[in-house]
Amino acid sequence: MASLRRVKVLLVLNLIAVAGFVLFLAKCRPITAKSGDSFHDIHPRAEVANLTAHGISSIQDAVLKRLSLLEDIVYRQLNGLSKSLGLIEGYGGRGKGGLPATLSPEEEEKAKGPHEKYGYNSYLSEKISLDRSIPDYRPTKCKELKYSKDLPQISIIFIFVNEALSVILRSVHSAVNHTPAHLLKEIILVDDNSDEEELKAPLEEYVNKRYPGLVKVVRNQKREGLIRARIEGWKAATGQITGFFDAHVEFTAGWAEPVLSRIQENRRRVILPSIDNIKQDNFEVQRYENSAHGYSWELWCMYISPPKDWWDAGDPSLPIR
């Protein structure tokens, strides 16, 4: 994650500073000469040699202990952010690996209200980690493809209105976890005038502390609708490429490179990644077979079977027009 990389950099700088300070104190500690001694009788090299023989290991131990303490503090602070919202971080827990998550009979009763409100089991979502692992369904050939290192950066834009907080944050965590840091310019959350309190200060405080400088929140002062909300996100974006997503998604490894590569080849392209399904009742990740996406005349999204020439090519890594 970009934020964790920043934390690691800070830890390394802290380590260097602590080590330098300790060594400075060790080398520059006051030396008291006994009465009658001259400074010519004191041998600095002997002192340093003595320090090297007996003191370095203890200094290293102190520095390592200090670093370990700092790591614990950082982890507790970051993890504490989600805990204060009643949410969970880490790669394990319920729904790990994209498997169905379950609730106890008592929890099932509590989940009924939120499920009706959001159209998915938001109560269960709060029990699933924001970082849960999900399966990589890419064809083998897709995993073997190599991409240029100088791909353009992308601004990821999520549009939401009264979405469950846990689902929004899982989308953000997933984007950060599975997008190479040098390709992710920013994440923009566009709130189309939600009235849920948890989507106001709690959301902003969390992303500002968890992903400082990486996640921006744009708020519409009135309900604008999906397309105008997307335009507001596009206005705020600074990346070379913009990607628009629902705020209830999870990214898989390797999603960004093929998208950015094909747009780099031809800036007029509009790319839609292969989309699998997250079941609304248990958050199981369900693989969809190879298909293109299109629209009916009523503008409903539909899945289209690839044309014969695509199947005849025998290469599942090829794009589908």
Side-chain angles (χ1 to χ4, degrees):
M1 302 181 206
S3 60
L4 288 180
R5 288 193 181 96
R6 297 189 188 100
V7 169
K8 289 178 180 178
V9 170
L10 291 173
L11 289 174
V12 170
L13 292 175
N14 192 288
L15 171 61
I16 294 171
V18 171
F21 183 68
V22 172
L23 290 173
F24 175 79
L25 289 179
K27 288 188 176 183
C28 301
R29 65 186 186 281
I31 300 174
T32 305
K34 294 180 182 178
S35 178
D37 288 344
S38 69
F39 284 103
H40 295 286
D41 296 325
I42 298 170
H43 303 284
R45 289 181 182 274
E47 288 291 324
V48 173
N50 185 58
L51 173 65
T52 302
H54 303 289
I56 286 295
S57 61
S58 61
I59 292 173
Q60 290 175 336
D61 290 342
V63 171
L64 290 173
K65 187 177 293 185
R66 172 66 173 164
L67 179 59
S68 178
L69 177 62
L70 288 171
E71 289 176 334
D72 289 342
I73 291 172
V74 170
Y75 177 78
R76 285 199 300 271
Q77 287 179 336
L78 292 178
N79 201 33
L81 293 176
S82 60
K83 284 185 177 178
S84 65
L85 298 174
L87 304 178
I88 306 164
E89 292 190 43
Y91 292 96
R94 303 189 209 188
K96 175 182 177 181
L99 295 174
T102 58
L103 294 172
S104 67
E106 295 78 13
E107 290 174 325
E108 287 282 3
E109 200 61 34
K110 297 177 182 177
K112 288 181 179 178
H115 194 238
E116 293 173 1
K117 177 180 179 180
Y118 292 106
Y120 52 76
N121 198 337
S122 62
Y123 183 88
L124 175 59
S125 175
E126 295 175 358
K127 311 301 178 185
I128 298 173
S129 172
L130 301 177
D131 302 299
R132 73 153 175 174
S133 59
I134 56 176
D136 184 351
Y137 286 138
R138 289 177 297 164
T140 301
K141 191 162 185 178
C142 290
K143 299 177 185 179
E144 296 172 350
L145 293 175
K146 305 297 181 184
Y147 297 96
S148 170
K149 293 183 179 179
D150 63 343
L151 293 173
Q153 290 185 311
I154 187 170
S155 296
I156 293 177
I157 301 172
F158 292 120
I159 312 298
F160 68 90
V161 55
N162 292 333
E163 192 94 56
L165 179 60
S166 62
V167 170
I168 295 174
L169 293 183
R170 189 174 300 107
S171 300
V172 172
H173 275 246
S174 178
V176 175
N177 292 345
H178 296 110
T179 309
H182 69 287
L183 299 180
L184 181 57
K185 178 66 175 179
E186 64 207 346
I187 295 174
I188 299 173
L189 302 176
V190 182
D191 174 14
D192 196 22
N193 200 233
S194 298
D195 47 35
E196 294 285 345
E197 286 302 319
E198 66 176 7
L199 300 181
K200 297 178 182 178
L203 171 62
E204 287 205 39
E205 290 174 5
Y206 179 87
V207 296
N208 288 339
K209 291 179 180 178
R210 189 66 177 80
Y211 299 114
L214 182 64
V215 180
K216 304 175 183 177
V217 180
V218 174
R219 297 193 185 274
N220 292 336
Q221 297 307 305
K222 64 177 183 177
R223 191 71 51 79
E224 298 286 359
L226 178 62
I227 302 306
R228 288 196 183 97
R230 285 179 171 173
I231 292 173
E232 291 304 311
W234 173 78
K235 289 177 181 177
T238 60
Q240 296 163 279
I241 293 175
T242 50
F244 298 92
F245 300 89
D246 292 328
H248 43 255
V249 300
E250 294 180 57
F251 294 82
T252 56
W255 78 272
E257 292 89 337
V259 170
L260 301 180
S261 177
R262 287 189 55 73
I263 296 176
Q264 186 182 51
E265 291 171 1
N266 183 349
R267 63 184 295 271
R268 295 179 182 275
R269 286 176 175 156
V270 177
I271 307 297
L272 187 62
S274 176
I275 299 176
D276 296 312
N277 183 42
I278 302 174
K279 292 186 177 180
Q280 62 184 18
D281 295 323
N282 56 21
F283 287 81
E284 177 185 5
V285 178
Q286 179 185 35
R287 180 181 182 179
Y288 277 179
E289 294 304 318
N290 294 322
S291 61
H293 293 72
Y295 296 90
S296 67
W297 286 108
E298 291 82 18
L299 295 183
W300 288 103
C301 179
M302 59 187 293
Y303 294 91
I304 303 170
S305 179
K308 183 177 182 301
D309 58 354
W310 186 88
W311 289 109
D312 290 343
D315 184 357
S317 70
L318 293 176
I320 305 168
R321 183 167 183 173

